């Protein structure tokens, strides 16, 4: 059986701080990493919960990825991120059934974690943008093996 889990849910907002205050005050989310993805025109704030997280995304400008999303759809659910063990194998499995990713997997860093991500077309998933994410294993110093 594959080990797959919800990693986080992405939410597009006009302003991170007010959304962050709601989720930390009323729903006990703890503050995680904040990243600036200038090439996508967004600032991302992670909030952690017991089994998953929220990625609150604010546009850097109206022409960036989240700026355009908010302009077209308003604030709200942007994507659901599903953690997979091997993103290449998942894409191959989905492709056999006709599901196609949007582009190739890209490498990003969230905090100190290198990750590979790819998005799946929302037209094929009931209008929901799905992000597949693989957290890459970092090599241990001095050739030590990690459990």
């Amino acid at each position: 059986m594959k080990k797959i889990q919800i990693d986080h849910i992405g939410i597009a907002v006009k302003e991170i701080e007010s959304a962050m205050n709601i989720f930390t005050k009323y729903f006990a989310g703890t503050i995680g990493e904040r990243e600036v993805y200038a090439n996508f025109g967004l600032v991302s704030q992670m909030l952690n919960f017991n089994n998953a997280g929220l990625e609150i995304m604010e546009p850097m400008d109206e022409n960036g990825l989240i700026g355009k999303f908010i302009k077209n759809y308003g604030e709200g659910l942007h994507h659901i991120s599903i953690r997979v063990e091997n993103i290449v194998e998942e894409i191959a499995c989905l492709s056999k059934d006709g599901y196609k990713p949007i582009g190739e997997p890209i490498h990003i860093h969230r905090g100190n974690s290198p990750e590979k991500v790819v998005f799946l077309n929302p037209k094929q998933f009931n209008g929901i943008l799905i992000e597949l994410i693989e957290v890459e294993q970092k090599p241990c110093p001095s050739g030590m093996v990690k459990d």
Side-chain angles (χ1 to χ4, degrees):
M1 174 110 164
K2 294 182 201 178
K3 182 180 177 186
I4 295 177
Q5 70 182 48
I6 300 292
D7 185 79
H8 66 271
I9 296 171
I11 301 173
V13 300
K14 293 178 183 174
E15 201 270 314
I16 283 178
E17 296 303 322
S18 61
M20 203 170 75
N21 290 338
I22 292 168
F23 287 107
T24 56
K25 180 177 180 178
Y26 297 108
F27 303 111
T30 58
I31 297 171
E33 302 90 12
R34 183 175 287 202
E35 301 287 340
V36 174
Y37 297 105
N39 52 333
F40 298 115
L42 68 96
V43 177
S44 166
Q45 175 66 58
M46 293 302 293
L47 294 178
N48 302 309
F49 296 86
N50 288 337
N51 297 323
L54 287 179
E55 179 182 20
I56 300 173
M57 300 173 294
E58 173 183 302
M60 294 173 73
D61 62 61
E62 64 184 31
N63 296 318
L65 188 79
I66 299 303
K68 289 178 183 176
F69 179 88
I70 291 173
K71 183 179 178 183
N72 291 329
Y73 305 106
E75 294 181 292
L77 176 67
H78 181 264
H79 68 271
I80 297 174
S81 180
I82 299 173
R83 186 180 293 217
V84 298
E85 289 182 344
N86 186 312
I87 202 164
V88 173
E89 287 178 9
E90 290 300 325
I91 292 168
C93 182
L94 287 160
S95 292
K96 285 179 187 175
D97 289 331
Y99 299 105
K100 303 291 182 197
I102 301 170
E104 296 293 321
I106 60 171
H107 293 269
I108 64 167
H109 277 79
R110 182 170 58 179
N112 293 323
S113 298
E115 301 171 346
K116 279 190 234 176
V117 300
V118 70
F119 288 90
L120 303 174
N121 192 326
K123 291 178 183 175
Q124 294 182 305
F125 292 92
N126 302 95
I128 299 170
L129 181 64
I130 302 291
E131 175 187 42
L132 299 181
I133 183 168
E134 174 189 329
V135 177
E136 298 176 7
Q137 299 298 317
K138 292 187 253 181
C140 295
S142 305
M144 297 172 63
V145 177
K146 232 179 181 180
D147 292 275

